[in-house]
Amino acid sequence: MAEIDDTAHLETTCSGRGQCDYKTGECSCAAGYVGIACERTKCKNDCSRRGTCISMRHHADFNRNHESLQYSYHQWDADKLYGCECDLGYAGYDCSKRICPHGDDPLTLDESDDEVQLLRCTASASSNGHFVLFFDGKASSSIPASSSAITLKHALQTIPLIVDVDVSYTTGTTLCRDDGMDNIVYIKFTHNPGPLPPLVAETFDMDPDSVVEIAASTSFGMLTDYNGVNHFSVKGNKENEECSNRGICDQTTGSCDCFDTNGDQYAGNDCSEVVTSPVTTCPGDPVCSDRGICDTSTKRCICEVGYTGGDCSQRSCPRGLTWFGYPSSNDVAHDVMEECSNMGTCQRTTGECRCNDGFFGSACEYMGCSGDDASQTSCHGHGRCISLRELALNHKSSDGTSSPINYGTDANEPSTFDADRIFGCDCDDGYGGFDCELMTCPTGVDPLQIPQICMNAPTKVCAIIQPAFANVFQDGEAAMAVGAMVQRKTVAGGSH
């Protein structure tokens, strides 16, 4: 709960997500939370043994994003929100899904360009320096400055996401040059339908004035050589779709079930082969499963809202801001929309999200109160499950008076992204604990303690309240003893 404006997540027993056993000093964590203090979220099924359970901080530190850029993350949840970093070929918030082959739709003939990216290395080929190329966040093997075209090709193909590339040099047989004779390198992606993310270079042990340039985007897609000749990159325009949009992915096996409806049949591991020609209509039986419109020129289904798949036979699920994902910039995350907020699995037959333990909402967009269940019906019937924003507004000072606090005042402040997303229990009077399961006991003055209440600071006169009759109330500045036997004495004077 917030204690001052826009500041929350202070240390508390069992992190407010578990019950303390005061006999053993151990926390019993709510479903979905782990750690000796229940301080972090739990990865579902240990990432199905097909990935690594990792914190937001380490996910940022040891990886790169789709554009191969690297950011850091140090917000309050950096070591609290954990998620799955899936092995190659697996996907989903718990790595339980197999990834199916992707390919180019064989019936969209206007999109025929393969991606071509350009590279120029200005450095001494005789040095011991080298560099690494990143593609879609994954690194190649080491590339020496003196590499031939075949060596560069092989290095690029060590990146598991690259199927095959053609590499050609405009000048000579050595990758890097520093003699004023530019070598423009053409890298053509022959089996990765585009558009593709740009290659990103990182140099090692090269001279300070060495430069590795990449031209691969619409904003920087040209290199000019020493003769003034312009060389242009090519942005791929082929589709890169699951099962080439001509089949349904079986996510348990990672294989495509190619369409064979209305006399039109497709084949191949990515369903990119047309078996029967000409193709008569869109896939589906009935056409587009009666959940979409058939584009007669491309024979592609345009699905209604809530439906997906090449034949519109599958349901799509609600989308929400991601819980676990790579930062979009330093210390900024949770700003990308994904199905089930990347904290649940979409049930394709119903269009409903099956949320991870501790989360609820149609898109798993809320972290729950963790009582009997994660939904707003929890708190064991002895409180209300409300957002951090509401909890802050209900804040009370130590004497029990209302003292509202604002939390989430700036919608663009990354550190308070959770104001309306994380929920906690506001317990009824007489109940306590993180989930309002425990009954609270009455409180009073300890009869074995003799409080000394300073009544007159200049003369150092204090009241000693006899414990047998003490009944003390606070009025904000002084203490008043009611029905007590009071003896006055001068602390410094020695008289009674």
Side-chain angles (χ1 to χ4, degrees):
M1 182 185 293
E3 292 295 331
I4 58 176
D5 285 351
D6 290 325
T7 301
H9 309 290
L10 304 179
E11 286 191 1
T12 188
T13 304
C14 299
S15 305
R17 292 292 164 176
Q19 212 70 270
C20 178
D21 184 335
Y22 288 99
K23 293 182 179 180
T24 65
E26 296 179 346
C27 292
S28 177
C29 301
Y33 302 89
V34 293
I36 60 172
C38 309
E39 70 274 16
R40 66 179 181 87
T41 56
K42 180 181 180 180
C43 291
K44 184 73 172 181
N45 298 327
D46 196 24
C47 300
S48 306
R49 297 187 178 181
R50 298 295 185 182
T52 303
C53 187
I54 193 171
S55 69
M56 287 282 292
R57 183 193 304 275
H58 287 163
H59 186 49
D61 288 346
F62 299 114
N63 294 284
R64 297 181 178 227
N65 66 8
H66 180 62
E67 301 292 321
S68 296
L69 301 176
Q70 189 167 35
Y71 299 112
S72 60
Y73 191 72
H74 304 97
Q75 296 287 9
W76 68 265
D77 60 322
D79 300 310
K80 294 182 175 294
L81 276 176
Y82 275 60
C84 291
E85 184 180 298
C86 298
D87 297 339
L88 190 67
Y90 293 85
Y93 85 102
D94 58 354
C95 303
S96 62
K97 300 178 182 178
R98 294 290 299 268
I99 296 176
C100 284
H102 284 55
D104 179 37
D105 190 326
L107 298 187
T108 53
L109 302 179
D110 291 338
E111 291 95 9
S112 59
D113 292 334
D114 288 323
E115 177 106 358
V116 178
Q117 300 189 15
L118 307 179
L119 181 151
R120 174 168 55 196
C121 174
T122 304
S124 172
S126 61
S127 71
N128 294 323
H130 65 281
F131 62 90
V132 168
L133 289 173
F134 288 86
F135 175 77
D136 201 359
K138 308 299 182 184
S140 72
S141 60
S142 175
I143 303 171
S146 59
S147 295
S148 64
I150 191 66
T151 300
L152 176 57
K153 173 186 173 77
H154 288 163
L156 284 167
Q157 290 178 177
T158 63
I159 301 175
L161 302 175
I162 294 179
V163 181
D164 193 15
V165 290
D166 288 339
V167 176
S168 60
Y169 292 176
T170 60
T171 305
T173 59
T174 302
L175 174 58
C176 298
R177 302 178 70 102
D178 63 351
D179 56 1
M181 303 284 286
D182 290 336
N183 174 32
I184 306 298
V185 181
Y186 279 71
I187 302 170
K188 183 177 183 179
F189 295 80
T190 57
H191 289 78
N192 288 85
L196 302 176
L199 293 166
V200 173
E202 184 171 338
T203 61
F204 300 89
D205 301 322
M206 297 182 75
D207 296 334
D209 56 351
S210 299
V211 178
V212 179
E213 302 168 87
I214 306 288
S217 65
T218 54
S219 59
F220 188 73
M222 180 185 74
L223 293 176
T224 303
D225 66 18
Y226 65 98
N227 287 321
V229 176
N230 294 328
H231 299 260
F232 296 91
S233 62
V234 178
K235 184 52 63 179
N237 61 3
K238 295 179 179 180
E239 293 93 1
N240 185 15
E241 297 183 299
E242 186 179 72
C243 300
S244 306
N245 196 51
R246 298 295 163 176
I248 296 295
C249 175
D250 184 341
Q251 294 180 328
T252 61
T253 64
S255 59
C256 292
D257 182 12
C258 301
F259 295 137
D260 183 4
T261 57
N262 309 312
D264 302 321
Q265 187 177 358
Y266 302 87
N269 72 323
D270 61 356
C271 301
S272 62
E273 301 173 17
V274 179
V275 177
T276 56
S277 186
V279 174
T280 59
T281 188
C282 289
D285 185 17
V287 173
C288 298
S289 307
D290 272 348
R291 295 296 184 182
I293 299 173
C294 180
D295 184 328
T296 56
S297 61
T298 61
K299 306 298 188 294
R300 288 173 64 95
C301 289
I302 304 171
C303 301
E304 297 174 0
V305 175
Y307 291 85
T308 188
D311 60 354
C312 303
S313 63
Q314 298 181 307
R315 296 292 300 268
S316 59
C317 282
R319 300 166 68 86
L321 295 172
T322 57
W323 284 104
F324 180 83
Y326 200 83
S328 58
S329 60
N330 287 332
D331 294 328
V332 178
H334 314 295
D335 55 355
V336 176
M337 300 289 286
E338 287 192 21
E339 271 192 331
C340 304
S341 306
N342 197 30
M343 197 51 75
T345 300
C346 179
Q347 307 301 299
R348 293 297 176 198
T349 56
T350 64
E352 296 177 344
C353 292
R354 182 178 294 169
C355 301
N356 190 14
D357 294 336
F359 294 83
F360 73 103
S362 62
C364 308
E365 69 270 35
Y366 302 120
M367 181 185 290
C369 288
S370 307
D372 296 324
D373 56 65
S375 72
Q376 287 183 289
T377 61
S378 56
C379 301
H380 288 88
H382 301 304
R384 295 187 306 136
C385 185
I386 58 178
S387 68
L388 289 184
R389 186 191 301 275
E390 292 177 277
L391 284 169
L393 292 174
N394 289 348
H395 179 265
K396 295 180 180 179
S397 60
S398 58
D399 62 1
T401 58
S402 178
S403 177
I405 291 173
N406 294 312
Y407 187 70
T409 54
D410 184 354
N412 296 316
E413 171 54 48
S415 64
T416 58
F417 79 92
D418 56 330
D420 299 308
R421 300 189 67 190
I422 293 183
F423 282 61
C425 286
D426 186 20
C427 298
D428 298 337
D429 290 341
Y431 292 89
F434 80 103
D435 57 358
C436 304
E437 183 182 17
L438 304 177
M439 295 186 70
T440 58
C441 291
T443 59
V445 175
D446 189 338
L448 299 182
Q449 289 184 345
I450 303 177
Q452 289 190 343
I453 304 168
C454 199
M455 304 295 288
N456 191 336
T459 59
K460 298 182 180 179
V461 176
C462 293
I464 300 178
I465 305 173
Q466 298 296 336
F469 301 97
N471 185 13
V472 180
F473 300 90
Q474 290 293 122
D475 66 359
E477 294 184 0
M480 180 175 62
V482 180
M485 292 179 62
V486 179
Q487 288 182 324
R488 295 184 179 273
K489 70 175 182 177
T490 304
V491 175
S495 62
H496 298 274

